[in-house]
Each structure stands twice: as structure tokens, then as C-alpha cells.
Amino acid sequence: MHTRRTHRRTRIGRTRTGATLLAAALLATACSAGGASTSAGAAAEAVGATQAAKTSLAALERATPSALAPYYEQKLGWRDCGVPGFQCATMKAPLDYAKPTEGDVRLAVARKKATGPGERLGSLLVNPGGPGGSAIGYLQQYAGIGYPKEVRARYDMVAVDPRGVARSEPVECLDGREMDAYTRTDVTPDDEGEAEKLVGAYKEFAEGCGADAPELLRHVSTVEAARDMDILRAVLGDEKLNYVGASYGTFLGATYAGLFPDRAGRLVLDGAMDPSLPARRLNLEQTAGFETAFQSFAKDCVKQPDCPLGDKNTTPEQVGKNLKAFFDDLDAEPVPTGDADGRKLTESLATTGVIAAMYDEGAWQQLRESLTSAMKERDGAGLLVLSDSYYEREADGSYSNLMFANASVNCLDLPAAFSSPDEVRAALPDFEKASPVFGEGLAWSSLNCAYWPVEPTGEPHRIEAAGANPIVVVGTTRDPATPYRWAEALAGQLSSGRLLTYEGDGHTAYGRGSACIDSAINAYLLRGTAPEDGKRCS
């Protein structure tokens, strides 16, 4: 899942659940306390309800293996980044931790040193999620300049792009034109022929990734990325790792705590994932999460004079039917966009644009305006902009490596949600019940890992991190991408978990306008005072 964000984060942000994340497939990446509808929540609970993992991630030995000593003892050569106030370096890590003498992976690191005043508290590592989001981009564009000044005064703000991501030996799978075709692929096939085209698109994507990085592709797991973070902790001179991770970054941070509980310092896991769930259930619950977010949007939309999906007398259910009818119209006849490369607004691109806006209620007005243009004026430019932002497509037609890294990590971390089109068809009723608007497309998007060229190395598991300091787990009640139930689940698994709840909309909570959330997290980062378990903010 990648974590999509607005300007506060790296774009709009995704999580890590395989194909339901934009980066992993053709669409975006459980139920909150306010939750999805009762039926959606029931569907999410029903499928795979007995599949949650019972095994727990085992901690590594405290003593660093001698074969890893050269990595832990390396010195970073800091240099100017070309961005004022930031320094960059390159860190080496073993490609394969089981065979640390047989090759390295080079990881990009960046920092902004503590500005003072006040005693320096060490380094604060940040990760925006994904998987595949550039932590360095997040640091330079937001965290290093936008985190509370008192936090930046006391910590060196640090980021490392995980292996296979952005500046750290990025996986590449398709060129720009190929990605344009991939993102337009129909993910709601009407017949066997369209289903075969979708499977063909997944296979082409997977083959491209396998051809680009056949060895690296076997070693981009979350466990390996977490072990890389421990090397970075050591070379930075910190006894414990202090960390703020969002969305998929919560899984990365929790994994670190599980592997190195005695080295876990002050960890904030915002927009939490539940590592105990298999891919199919993760995808289904996330589908219900997007329905929850859409219901909030629908209720707000009909109150506005410019809502193209209904008026004050229109129910949220009918708003959803109206949007689905619009998607069906696009499936039959795409809408012009004025795009320089001749792209039209297809059903898949429009769906992606809508999903992108679900991550932040601040994008709802933009979504209303874009839908109005597309539905009433046959101008799809606005929705195309939203979709391109989600996919990180640049004006020159190139794409960041986000999508490629996202699939590479997701398909390695968990066995595929589905192994064949027939399995998807059998599960369609559950997905469509979870979300009448998005369910069909998100179900088919969950097929992508079935054709991955590398076998998965991970399995669902609990993370307890026994012996770790208090770990703050943050959940938003109407989060579309990481449903609130996941935060409850992770906080319950962690032996020292403290659940902090934001009652509201959008993906993640820190730095999104809640003084209650921000003050609780700041107190923890600056003084080590963790919030009371179960604290709620609005």
C-alpha cells in the first residue's frame, strides 16, 4: 500500500495491501469506529475471519553478528543535497542478510540537523508509507520543514529511501508510454476477453520488474528494510531508534520494533496497518474503508450547491449509484481531457482520481469541480490531474518508481490475494457488498501479485515487540486506506502499544489540524510521555 497525501505528505499516500494500492495495481490502495456500513463491515469480518495469524514476529539476537560488523561500523560521508539545510549520504547494507558477504545494496540517506535551542534528542527517522514512497522526498518537502519547530529543534530529522525505492537502487518496470497504457487498463472486465487483457497487463508489468532487477526483487521485503534501519541507527550514533511512520510506514516501524524491541525508542505509527491479516482480507477491509470515506464525501457533497451527484434530497446510496453510472458511461465512451499525449479519461483513470481525493477531505472541493467538468461538460482534465498525482506521473509523461516499488514490496511480503480470475469472480459479491462503488475494481486489482516473478517470503504475523518502550499507534475513524480497526488491532498486538484515536476523516492524523493529536504526539517525542491508551481526539 502506498500512503497518498496532500502537500503535507508525499502527494496523497497509500498503504501496503497489494493490488488495492495504486502502486501495486491499477487502482488505489477496516472498518472504523464510525465505520463502514454495517453490511460492509460484516463482509470484511466474514471473509478470512479465522485467517488472522497466530504466530508472532520473533526478535533477532541482541548481539550484532560479526559478519554484519562492517555495515554497522561504516562512516557516512555527508555532502550537500542541493536543497538548502539538508545533507545527503549513501549507506551500504547487505543485499541478502543471510549471505552478507555476497553483495551490497546502496541506500540513499538525508538529514537536516537539529536547529536548537534545547538539548539534542538524537535522530528522528521518518517514513511516509507506500511501500514505495520516497522518505527523502517526504523529509525535504514536508517533515524537515513542516514538523513542529520544537521537534525539529531537538532532533536531527533523518530519512532513508528503502531498498528498491526512489534514490535507493530503484526498481523500474515499464516506461512512461507503457505505464500510460497500464493505468488505462479496464479493471472491471465485462467478459472473458477483457479479463484476459487485464491478466496480460499484470503479466507485462511483472515481467518488466523481473527483467529490471532480478536479484534485488528478492530482497526488498519489509523485514530487510527494517534491518537496514537498524544499521542506520547505529551509524548515526543512536542507542535507540526514534521514528514517525505513516500508513505502510507503520508496518515498517512495527516490524523494526518486533525485530529489535530493546532498540525501539519513541515510535509513532500513524494510520496503522494490521500485520496479522492475509492479503485478501486486507484488500477487502480496505475496500470497506474506501466506502466509509466515500459515504462521508457523499453526505458532504449533497450539501454543496455544486455537487454533480445529487442535491440535499439525495441519499448517500443514490450518490454512489450516480457515480457508478458515470463510471459505466466512461467504460463505454471515454471523455476528452485535452492531454498533450492524447489520453482520454477512462473508467479506470476516473476511478483512480476519485479514490485519490478520498485520502484528504481537503480535496473534496477539487473532486466536486472535476466531476462536474467531466459529467456535465465532457472535460476530463480535472480527474486526470487527480489520477496523475496519485500515480506520480510528471508532465513530461514519466513516472516515479513508486508504483514499481509498491508492487515489489507487497508481492514479496504476502502471498497473493488471488491466484486466478475465477477466484476473483467468486469473491466479487463480498467486495461489492463492502463497496458498491469501488468493490468490483478493487477485487480485480487484487489479482496483480498472482503473476509476480518472485515467490513471496513473508506471511501474515502478529507483532508484539515484548520489552519495547511505549509505542504510540494512531488511528483515524474514517480513514479510507488504513481502516481504524487496523490501528485497534496493532495497538492490541504490541505489548506496549498505546492507541491514540482521531475521530474524523482522511488518511493519518499527525499534522492534519488536530491540536489534540499534535500535542499528544509532540509530548511523546519531546518528553517521552506517551498518551494514555485509548485517548480520543477530534
Side-chain angles (χ1 to χ4, degrees):
M1 301 145 273
H2 173 272
T3 43
R4 267 306 195 181
R5 308 174 201 287
T6 62
H7 64 281
R8 300 185 190 92
R9 306 280 194 262
T10 52
R11 312 259 181 158
I12 301 181
R14 309 178 190 81
T15 60
R16 62 177 293 282
T17 63
T20 51
L21 304 167
L22 264 181
L26 304 179
L27 284 179
T29 87
C31 308
S32 68
S37 63
T38 302
S39 61
E45 288 298 316
V47 174
T50 61
Q51 298 176 4
K54 301 298 189 295
T55 58
S56 182
L57 181 66
L60 296 174
E61 294 291 333
R62 292 193 178 192
T64 300
S66 59
L68 295 179
Y71 296 104
Y72 275 81
E73 296 170 359
Q74 67 185 294
K75 304 295 182 183
L76 296 183
W78 294 102
R79 61 188 183 277
D80 181 73
C81 281
V83 179
F86 293 89
Q87 297 175 307
C88 289
T90 301
M91 184 185 84
K92 291 183 179 180
L95 176 65
D96 184 349
Y97 276 91
K99 301 175 182 177
T101 62
E102 296 189 8
D104 300 333
V105 59
R106 298 170 65 86
L107 306 177
V109 182
R111 75 177 178 187
K112 186 177 184 183
K113 300 194 75 172
T115 57
E119 180 184 1
R120 181 181 174 276
L121 295 173
S123 304
L124 181 63
L125 192 65
V126 296
N127 183 282
S134 172
I136 292 178
Y138 175 66
L139 175 73
Q140 294 177 343
Q141 297 165 20
Y142 172 63
I145 57 177
Y147 267 34
K149 62 181 180 180
E150 57 266 41
V151 173
R152 292 181 284 118
R154 307 283 299 281
Y155 284 101
D156 290 347
M157 302 293 295
V158 180
V160 56
D161 280 347
R163 49 179 64 202
V165 174
R167 299 163 177 84
S168 294
E169 300 194 15
V171 176
E172 302 290 343
C173 305
L174 302 176
D175 64 26
R177 289 188 178 277
E178 290 168 337
M179 273 297 291
D180 280 347
Y182 182 74
T183 60
R184 292 196 300 266
T185 304
D186 187 354
V187 290
T188 56
D190 299 320
D191 52 40
E192 187 62 35
E194 290 187 355
E196 290 177 0
K197 287 182 180 179
L198 180 58
V199 168
Y202 288 145
K203 288 181 177 179
E204 180 183 0
F205 185 98
E207 289 167 0
C209 296
D212 176 73
E215 291 304 317
L216 180 61
L217 218 60
R218 295 178 172 83
H219 297 289
V220 293
S221 70
T222 298
V223 165
E224 288 161 312
R227 297 191 68 172
D228 295 341
M229 292 200 305
D230 195 56
I231 293 177
L232 179 57
R233 173 204 58 79
V235 301
L236 291 172
D238 294 325
E239 291 186 8
K240 292 181 180 288
L241 181 81
N242 301 311
Y243 175 86
V244 177
S247 198
Y248 162 79
T250 67
F251 178 56
L252 182 58
T255 299
Y256 180 89
L259 295 173
F260 306 102
D262 58 309
R263 301 174 193 169
R266 300 171 186 178
L267 270 58
V268 177
L269 309 180
D270 184 11
M273 294 191 54
D274 180 356
S276 73
L277 300 180
R280 188 181 303 188
R281 184 169 171 190
L282 280 168
N283 291 353
L284 180 63
E285 292 195 4
Q286 194 178 59
T287 298
F290 277 108
E291 182 66 21
T292 297
F294 179 75
Q295 292 290 315
S296 289
F297 165 75
K299 292 174 183 177
D300 179 78
C301 186
V302 297
K303 297 176 183 178
Q304 310 303 325
D306 63 342
C307 180
L309 297 170
D311 56 30
K312 62 182 180 180
N313 297 316
T314 309
T315 65
E317 180 183 12
Q318 187 59 50
V319 170
K321 291 180 179 179
N322 293 343
L323 180 60
K324 190 67 169 62
F326 170 60
F327 288 159
D328 291 342
D329 289 343
L330 289 175
D331 190 31
E333 185 179 0
V335 168
T337 65
D339 177 63
D341 294 316
R343 292 178 301 155
K344 291 187 175 182
L345 183 69
T346 61
E347 177 189 14
S348 56
L349 290 173
T351 304
T352 299
V354 173
I355 282 177
M358 293 299 100
Y359 283 84
D360 192 322
E361 65 275 23
W364 288 357
Q365 179 180 346
Q366 181 182 358
L367 177 58
R368 292 196 309 271
E369 294 171 352
S370 298
L371 284 169
T372 298
S373 294
M375 297 174 70
K376 298 184 177 181
E377 302 166 14
R378 292 192 56 79
D379 178 3
L383 285 173
L384 186 63
V385 166
L386 283 167
S387 178
D388 283 352
S389 176
Y390 198 101
Y391 279 120
E392 294 195 356
R393 183 190 192 271
E394 303 299 333
D396 64 2
S398 64
Y399 288 76
S400 79
N401 114 295
L402 171 65
M403 301 296 161
F404 314 135
N406 185 280
S408 299
V409 177
N410 287 334
C411 297
L412 195 62
D413 273 353
L414 287 175
F418 299 110
S419 62
S420 69
D422 285 343
E423 287 190 4
V424 176
R425 294 184 181 100
L428 279 176
D430 290 314
F431 277 79
E432 291 178 322
K433 186 176 182 180
S435 176
V437 178
F438 305 117
E440 181 184 7
L442 292 175
W444 280 103
S445 294
S446 303
L447 181 62
N448 72 314
C449 286
Y451 309 103
W452 204 244
V454 175
E455 290 295 316
T457 57
E459 293 283 351
H461 56 269
R462 293 172 55 83
I463 299 179
E464 297 174 1
N469 289 332
I471 298 173
V472 177
V473 179
V474 188
T476 297
T477 55
R478 295 185 294 278
D479 190 315
T482 51
Y484 178 69
R485 198 198 66 75
W486 294 356
E488 293 180 304
L490 180 60
Q493 291 170 37
L494 292 167
S495 62
S496 59
R498 303 283 184 91
L499 179 62
L500 176 62
T501 298
Y502 174 57
E503 297 176 341
D505 297 294
H507 183 42
T508 73
Y510 186 42
R512 286 176 51 85
S514 169
C516 175
I517 290 289
D518 291 354
S519 63
I521 292 175
N522 293 342
Y524 173 63
L525 291 176
L526 294 171
R527 298 188 292 278
T529 306
E532 179 182 354
D533 187 34
K535 179 179 177 63
R536 302 182 77 87
C537 297
S538 59

